[in-house]
Amino acid sequence: MDSILVTGNGPLNGQIPIAGAKNACLTLMPATLLSEEPLTLTNAPRLSDIKTMTALLQSLGAEVSSLQDGQVQAMSSHDLTSQTADYEIVRKMRASNLVLGPLLARFGHAVVSLPGGCAIGARPMDLHVEGLEALGAEIELKDGYLHAKAPGGLKGGVHEMRFASVGATENIVMAATLAKGTTVLKNAAREPEIVDLVECLRKMGAQISGEGTSTIEIQGVDRLHGATHQVVTDRIELGTYMLAPAICGGEVELLGGRMRLVESFAAKLDAAGVSVEETDKGLKVARKNGRVRAVDVVTEPFPGFPTDLQAQMMALMCTAEGTSVLEERIFENRFMHAPELVRMGADIEVHGGTATVTGVERLKGAPVMATDLRASVSLILAGLAAEGETVVSRVYHLDRGYEHVVRKLEGVGAKIERIKGQ
Ligand code: EPZ
């Protein structure tokens, strides 16, 4: 297994290009299952999760061609051969469950493995099931697989989700595009990735309104046609790299970044003493004056502070002046980066869903282990600011969500290299 060696090397300066959003691409790719005509995505990120989704779609019989070094995904699901998403693939990546809604809508049946737990939580699918049942689906759990059918086709309905689940919103909205009649989805998730999905579905002929608000209305249509769609900028990669100049000093411009994607996050950085300025090319980030100040964080569904930036923000708070309380309200086990940061000299106390961080002047490099995707990059951020060398092992986690992380950080002056595993 590869690892990454980071050596604290002072302020960072320059530009970092931000890629297309992993979490948009992972819901846009299954949308191809809704139509017999080709769907082409541009600005797709080059990540292992995208390769996993490609393998899943191909296992169903879809054609997926990765063009222009992976930045274009040309897909066609004209001749599908299976409606079963196998455990072997789904257990590797939860987002595989996003084929459930499209398969059910187009074919009237689907068999999708439950993903099983992952490092950050149990990750059940009850909200997906409840929403699809509100559209007339009959779903039962057998041998770890959800067996879903809608013999007479799905019917539009009114459904209020108990929690604004991103994935459940995506599955229900995709299914509703081909249901008979109108669907009103209440307490829908508002993430930019959902807005991006709806914009793509609309290009395919779907009739949808309200995306980005808590109530989405979908008029079912008989069929969807092909389209070409540009994947929205990745707000989590954007936020992650915004923290690089915040933790190291210097000034970095994140190309492609837009303030609307990270408003609550940028507000927190501003309160901590980090300036974020929107330019015509992206977002320019720099510390306002020396050491950042501690701020409290509570993770919430969009537009609140993103759970996917909590680990990275904790790394910054480890070097802040004062004490910060970070409350993780979305996942039940998303502080596994904390003990690794403590190995680097951080002062963190975790009690259930709350972590109390008292900032230290300087972290010290140490060998640490990545435990999940976002934890892995928080350790790299800490290593950029630490004294001496930090070796982050198990960086396969990183490859799931960050393309060319060494090249991007080297480009702004970081001392970082990838070490091939045995
Ligand atoms: C999406 O996961 C993202 N993944 C996650 O990003 C992100 O952390 C999460 O949304 C929250 O923003 C993709 O988009 C591929 P949820 P998802 O359904 O859809 C519980 C990353 O690092 N829940 O909003 O799975 C669930 O257990 C990943 O890129 C149920 O209880 O998130 C969790 O506690 C990590 N029942 C909470 O809701 C359900 O049926 C949020 O889950 C579904 C979810």
Side-chain angles (χ1 to χ4, degrees), residues 22-24 26-27 49 93-95 97-98 120-129 162-168 170 189 191 193 235-236 300-302 306-308 329-332 334 372-374:
K22 166 180 85 82
N23 291 349
L26 289 175
T27 189
D49 269 10
M93 186 184 66
R94 170 184 173 78
N97 64 18
L98 293 172
I120 61 177
R123 317 276 313 256
M125 281 188 63
D126 51 327
L127 299 171
H128 298 242
V129 170
R162 287 180 287 116
F163 173 81
S165 156
V166 171
E170 290 161 347
E191 274 68 6
E193 293 74 35
R235 64 192 170 97
I236 306 302
E300 294 173 306
F302 196 89
T307 174
D308 293 349
R329 289 191 177 166
I330 304 294
F331 288 103
E332 61 268 34
R334 204 170 197 179
D372 62 82
L373 166 57
R374 306 303 175 183

Side-chain angles (χ1 to χ4, degrees), residues 189-221:
R190 300 170 53 189
E191 274 68 6
E193 293 74 35
I194 287 167
V195 172
D196 203 43
L197 170 66
V198 170
E199 286 172 0
C200 177
L201 293 169
R202 199 174 280 134
K203 288 175 190 169
M204 296 169 73
Q207 307 280 322
I208 307 178
S209 59
E211 69 277 9
T213 76
S214 300
T215 302
I216 300 178
E217 186 165 318
I218 306 106
Q219 320 285 348
V221 295

Side-chain angles (χ1 to χ4, degrees), residues 7 25 28 63 94 96 104 147 157 163-164 258 265 286 322 342 361 412:
T7 308
C25 204
L28 289 164
E63 287 165 36
R94 170 184 173 78
S96 308
L104 193 54
H147 292 256
F163 173 81
R258 302 317 298 159
F265 178 69
V342 167
E361 279 281 340
V412 291

Side-chain angles (χ1 to χ4, degrees), residues 177-327:
T177 59
L178 296 177
K180 290 182 187 61
T182 301
T183 295
V184 178
L185 181 60
K186 295 181 177 175
N187 195 23
R190 300 170 53 189
E191 274 68 6
E193 293 74 35
I194 287 167
V195 172
D196 203 43
L197 170 66
V198 170
E199 286 172 0
C200 177
L201 293 169
R202 199 174 280 134
K203 288 175 190 169
M204 296 169 73
Q207 307 280 322
I208 307 178
S209 59
E211 69 277 9
T213 76
S214 300
T215 302
I216 300 178
E217 186 165 318
I218 306 106
Q219 320 285 348
V221 295
D222 292 338
R223 58 190 295 282
L224 294 181
H225 50 72
T228 296
H229 179 75
Q230 179 178 310
V231 178
V232 69
T233 301
D234 191 322
R235 64 192 170 97
I236 306 302
E237 187 192 27
L238 170 61
T240 301
Y241 287 124
M242 286 166 73
L243 286 164
I247 204 167
C248 292
E251 180 178 86
V252 174
E253 185 173 31
L254 295 315
L255 303 179
R258 302 317 298 159
M259 188 64 90
R260 63 178 167 80
L261 295 171
V262 286
E263 265 178 35
S264 63
F265 178 69
K268 272 295 167 189
L269 286 187
D270 183 63
V274 177
S275 74
V276 181
E277 178 206 338
E278 188 164 82
T279 68
D280 56 0
K281 283 189 280 190
L283 296 181
K284 203 174 267 188
V285 179
R287 278 199 304 228
K288 288 182 211 167
N289 38 31
R291 199 173 168 198
V292 298
R293 291 186 298 278
V295 291
D296 294 343
V297 168
V298 178
T299 64
E300 294 173 306
F302 196 89
F305 189 100
T307 174
D308 293 349
L309 286 171
Q310 175 261 109
Q312 302 90 312
M313 188 69 176
M314 186 184 287
L316 178 66
M317 291 296 101
C318 289
T319 64
E321 197 161 351
T323 297
S324 154
V325 176
L326 295 101
E327 197 182 334

Side-chain angles (χ1 to χ4, degrees), residues 43-66:
N43 193 37
R46 280 71 59 94
L47 302 167
S48 58
D49 269 10
I50 304 306
K51 293 195 172 81
T52 304
M53 180 58 79
T54 298
L56 171 59
L57 294 175
Q58 290 172 337
S59 76
L60 302 174
E63 287 165 36
V64 183
S65 308
S66 191

